[in-house]
Amino acid sequence: MGRLEAGYLFPEIARRRREFAAAHPEAKIISMGVGNTTEPVLPHICGALVEGARRLGNAGTYSGYADEGLAELREGISRVYYRGAFGIDEVFISDGSKCDIGRLQTLFGADAKVTVQDPSYPVYVDGSVVAGAAGRGAAACEDGDCGGGGGYAGIRYMPCTPENNYFPDLSVIEKDSVIYFCSPNNPTGAVATKPQLAALVAAAIRTGSIIVYDAAYSEYIRDAALPRTIYEVDGARNCAIEVNSFSKSAGFTGVRLGWSVVPKELLFSGGESVNSDWARLVATVFNGASNIAQYGGLAALDDEGRAEIRAMTDFYLGNAHLIREALKALNISCIGGDNSPYIWARFPGRGSWDVFAELLEKYHVVTTPGRGFGPAGETFIRFSAFGHRADVEEACKRLSTR
Ligand code: PGU
């Protein structure tokens, strides 16, 4: 804990927002910061959550611990997301992908050689630091106030920039690494193509590394040519774990339900089964996802639930389109937002916390400074498309006066 360079990014942003609000009580602040869902869970899935709660109030249907998750849910996730390619003992139900990432960091421990995309979702780095897998920062932010986005010695950063079209140079991956890879990417919104993922898998196999593939935004992919899971690539079963959740697709950020896939073929360099160790670890430190949430998850897998997920993600993609158009009109170059709920906007020559402050102070719009996602985010701002339509429209209107 002592090695962490700053507080966790999103509470830091919330703190700055509170400070500004206290000084300007008249300001109507709009959040395009943290990627938190805003729209209600849709009726079919919500009905299943209600029914799940009712079952707990009935002697005939009451259930307690369900450590490994409902078999039907594990089978359903394999069928809907992976064409049935995994057995139920390869799909682990969880309370969300962030929580699984934390447990994976416990599994890999302090000796893990960690490689991340730069910028990246801060949990890959911060959680690894907490697990002991990094030395004190070498390239830490100059002012000690970058909200978690410094550079830690012992963590390998793979820059993803406009120059490499947001896909990193994989030749820097060392032997026996743990590689965190997120697509659609948070924060850049870039989505890796199938040949790019094939190159990633080849690099992992060449170096004996394990990929932790974060597919939390896979339901936002609209381009049919783009892969929705790393297991679309041959060989991924031998080198990749995938985490995903219902948070951003079904609006379960507050319900909490996700999963991890750990194929039986995946082995540590000593030959031990990662699947067995993961099962042992999860059984030891986790007591299972809420029964209520799991009933909701089952409904999210049937035809009506799939249609609701589509409608929900279409709505947020609609917001993303408005944000992109607003930025385009201002000649601000940006990517993302077409197959992802994030837009990554470039402010050349500017520090991202400065731009963050400008947008908050002048337009009362909260964003996320790119630096919080890593050193390569310094001149970028992340706009989140999670918000009510009227708020997004109002924020875009305010920005258009820039
Ligand atoms: N993975 C990625 C890539 C994410 O962006 C997020 C949420 C999660 C996992 C967490 O998913 P759960 O399944 O709900 O655990 N990222 C948001 C929220 C901030 C946070 O601290 O998680 C964001 O704004 O980046």
Side-chain angles (χ1 to χ4, degrees), residues 8 10 35 97-98 121 186 214 217 245 247-248 256 382:
Y8 185 55
F10 296 104
S97 38
K98 186 184 199 176
Y121 179 44
N186 174 14
D214 189 337
Y217 301 99
S245 88
S247 286
K248 309 302 170 84
R256 310 306 304 149
R382 187 191 79 172

Side-chain angles (χ1 to χ4, degrees), residues 213-295:
Y213 189 77
D214 189 337
Y217 301 99
S218 65
E219 293 284 7
Y220 286 82
I221 295 177
R222 289 293 176 270
D223 181 341
L226 293 171
R228 291 167 157 253
T229 156
I230 190 151
Y231 300 117
E232 286 186 33
V233 172
D234 288 340
R237 296 177 79 109
N238 298 91
C239 65
I241 291 169
E242 183 162 302
V243 294
N244 202 333
S245 88
F246 292 102
S247 286
K248 309 302 170 84
S249 56
F252 273 24
T253 43
V255 176
R256 310 306 304 149
L257 189 68
W259 69 90
S260 59
V261 176
V262 185
K264 291 235 169 105
E265 291 89 336
L266 183 62
L267 304 176
F268 285 112
S269 51
E272 308 89 347
S273 161
V274 178
N275 178 287
S276 312
D277 283 4
W278 181 235
R280 178 71 170 83
L281 181 105
V282 168
T284 306
V285 302
F286 181 51
N287 257 342
S290 149
N291 295 341
I292 300 171
Q294 293 192 62
Y295 276 101

Side-chain angles (χ1 to χ4, degrees), residues 28-314:
K28 186 183 174 295
I29 300 173
I30 297 174
S31 177
M32 295 178 140
V34 64
N36 197 3
T37 49
T38 55
E39 304 310 296
V41 175
L42 290 168
H44 174 67
I45 297 173
C46 194
L49 291 171
V50 171
E51 180 53 28
R54 272 211 195 94
R55 293 173 72 98
L56 295 180
N58 182 310
T61 49
Y62 174 79
S63 55
Y65 292 129
D67 308 329
E68 297 179 334
L70 292 176
E72 212 183 331
L73 182 60
R74 298 153 83 193
E75 182 279 323
I77 287 171
S78 176
R79 177 170 36 81
V80 171
Y81 285 85
Y82 308 103
R83 298 178 182 201
F86 296 102
I88 62 167
D89 49 358
E90 296 175 295
V91 179
F92 297 77
I93 304 302
S94 76
D95 49 349
S97 38
K98 186 184 199 176
C99 321
D100 268 340
I101 292 162
R103 286 184 284 266
L104 283 166
Q105 287 160 338
T106 300
L107 179 73
F108 296 130
D111 294 334
K113 278 190 246 165
V114 174
T115 300
V116 295
Q117 291 164 286
D118 178 18
S120 73
Y121 179 44
V123 175
Y124 311 147
V125 170
D126 288 14
S128 296
V129 173
V130 171
R136 190 172 287 280
C141 50
E142 319 78 78
D143 55 2
D145 193 24
C146 63
Y152 289 91
I155 289 191
R156 168 87 50 193
Y157 293 80
M158 301 191 292
C160 296
T161 60
E163 289 70 38
N164 59 20
N165 217 4
Y166 299 97
F167 187 79
D169 171 8
L170 302 171
S171 69
V172 301
I173 298 170
E174 290 175 68
K175 208 171 149 28
D176 300 335
S177 301
V178 176
I179 308 162
Y180 292 92
F181 199 94
C182 179
S183 179
N185 191 263
N186 174 14
T188 67
V191 187
T193 63
K194 201 165 169 188
Q196 287 174 331
L197 285 192
L200 176 67
V201 164
I205 290 173
R206 188 177 69 241
T207 56
S209 299
I210 293 177
I211 300 164
V212 175
Y213 189 77
D214 189 337
Y217 301 99
S218 65
E219 293 284 7
Y220 286 82
I221 295 177
R222 289 293 176 270
D223 181 341
L226 293 171
R228 291 167 157 253
T229 156
I230 190 151
Y231 300 117
E232 286 186 33
V233 172
D234 288 340
R237 296 177 79 109
N238 298 91
C239 65
I241 291 169
E242 183 162 302
V243 294
N244 202 333
S245 88
F246 292 102
S247 286
K248 309 302 170 84
S249 56
F252 273 24
T253 43
V255 176
R256 310 306 304 149
L257 189 68
W259 69 90
S260 59
V261 176
V262 185
K264 291 235 169 105
E265 291 89 336
L266 183 62
L267 304 176
F268 285 112
S269 51
E272 308 89 347
S273 161
V274 178
N275 178 287
S276 312
D277 283 4
W278 181 235
R280 178 71 170 83
L281 181 105
V282 168
T284 306
V285 302
F286 181 51
N287 257 342
S290 149
N291 295 341
I292 300 171
Q294 293 192 62
Y295 276 101
L298 274 178
L301 296 173
D302 67 24
D303 289 347
E304 273 179 86
R306 300 289 304 149
E308 289 186 346
I309 284 179
R310 179 76 186 200
M312 179 82 85
T313 49
D314 273 346

